[in-house]
Amino acid sequence: MMSSVEILKVEGGESWFTEEEEGLVSKSWNLMKKDAGEWGLKFFLKIFEIAPSAQKMFSFLRESNVALEQNAKLKAHAKSVFVMTCEAAVELRRSGEVVIRESSLKKLGGVHLKYGVVDEHFEVTKYALLETIKEAVGEMWTPEMKRAWSVAYHHLVAAIKTHMK
């Protein structure tokens, strides 16, 4: 019987996400957490700025005449995705694994597959995520922090891709 949480082992043991990287991710997430809804929306707006056609992947946007910045469904979705991404990043070293509820991970894989998400989409999303975090943390942003978030994002995407079948 499967547990309520599916755990995916990431190769490389202790060296794959360093204590310093974990600290940078945690410190920046703690700064962003209280305004996660705002940062989540900015994250999605950056995605749509880079790839406007991505809006067509969301039924609640295709069916709406409300401005993106005012769209309640987009705001809720954006916050949920941003929080999940950041929380998964924070847990990465502590657990030694990507940990997301099994049903969520399977759903993420299925939805991404259904809408034809490909590697390029994940790259746009990564760029938008890093730019959003850079904006959110201001002077705290460093090349080391960028690398830490990039590593965490890579592991999350790898976990999602395992369910895109």
Side-chain angles (χ1 to χ4, degrees):
M1 185 170 155
M2 302 214 50
S3 67
S4 64
V5 174
E6 179 164 307
I7 299 174
L8 300 171
K9 213 53 165 156
V10 181
E11 293 180 28
E14 286 298 310
S15 65
W16 61 276
F17 193 62
T18 69
E19 189 175 339
E20 291 77 18
E21 289 169 334
E22 175 191 38
L24 291 168
V25 166
S26 294
K27 185 177 180 183
S28 53
W29 174 230
N30 286 334
L31 184 67
M32 296 182 290
K33 194 182 298 188
K34 66 178 173 31
D35 298 316
E38 174 189 336
W39 294 116
L41 181 60
K42 286 185 180 205
F43 168 49
F44 268 78
L45 293 176
K46 284 184 192 301
I47 291 170
F48 299 148
E49 180 183 321
I50 298 163
S53 63
Q55 292 179 48
K56 295 180 182 123
M57 298 176 112
F58 299 91
S59 61
F60 58 83
L61 295 179
R62 288 192 306 263
E63 302 164 359
S64 175
N65 293 325
V66 177
L68 292 174
E69 297 83 3
Q70 304 304 317
N71 188 300
K73 289 182 180 179
L74 175 59
K75 287 180 179 183
H77 180 76
K79 180 178 181 179
S80 173
V81 170
F82 191 70
V83 169
M84 182 219 41
T85 301
C86 293
E87 290 290 341
V90 168
E91 290 294 321
L92 201 50
R93 181 175 168 84
R94 186 179 348 211
S95 64
E97 303 154 326
V98 172
V99 179
I100 299 176
R101 291 185 187 280
E102 175 190 350
S103 60
S104 296
L105 193 55
K106 285 184 179 179
K107 182 179 177 183
L108 283 171
V111 167
H112 284 80
L113 179 65
K114 176 182 175 182
Y115 287 103
V117 174
V118 295
D119 288 342
E120 290 80 12
H121 295 121
F122 285 115
E123 287 303 311
V124 166
T125 302
K126 176 183 174 184
Y127 178 80
L129 177 68
L130 295 176
E131 287 297 305
T132 301
I133 295 167
K134 179 180 178 180
E135 181 183 344
V137 302
E139 292 181 13
M140 188 191 305
W141 186 254
T142 62
E144 294 79 16
M145 185 177 285
K146 179 179 181 178
R147 183 184 184 290
W149 278 103
S150 294
V151 169
Y153 180 80
H154 167 78
H155 289 293
L156 177 59
V157 168
I160 292 170
K161 285 181 177 181
T162 63
H163 290 278
M164 288 178 65
K165 299 174 183 161

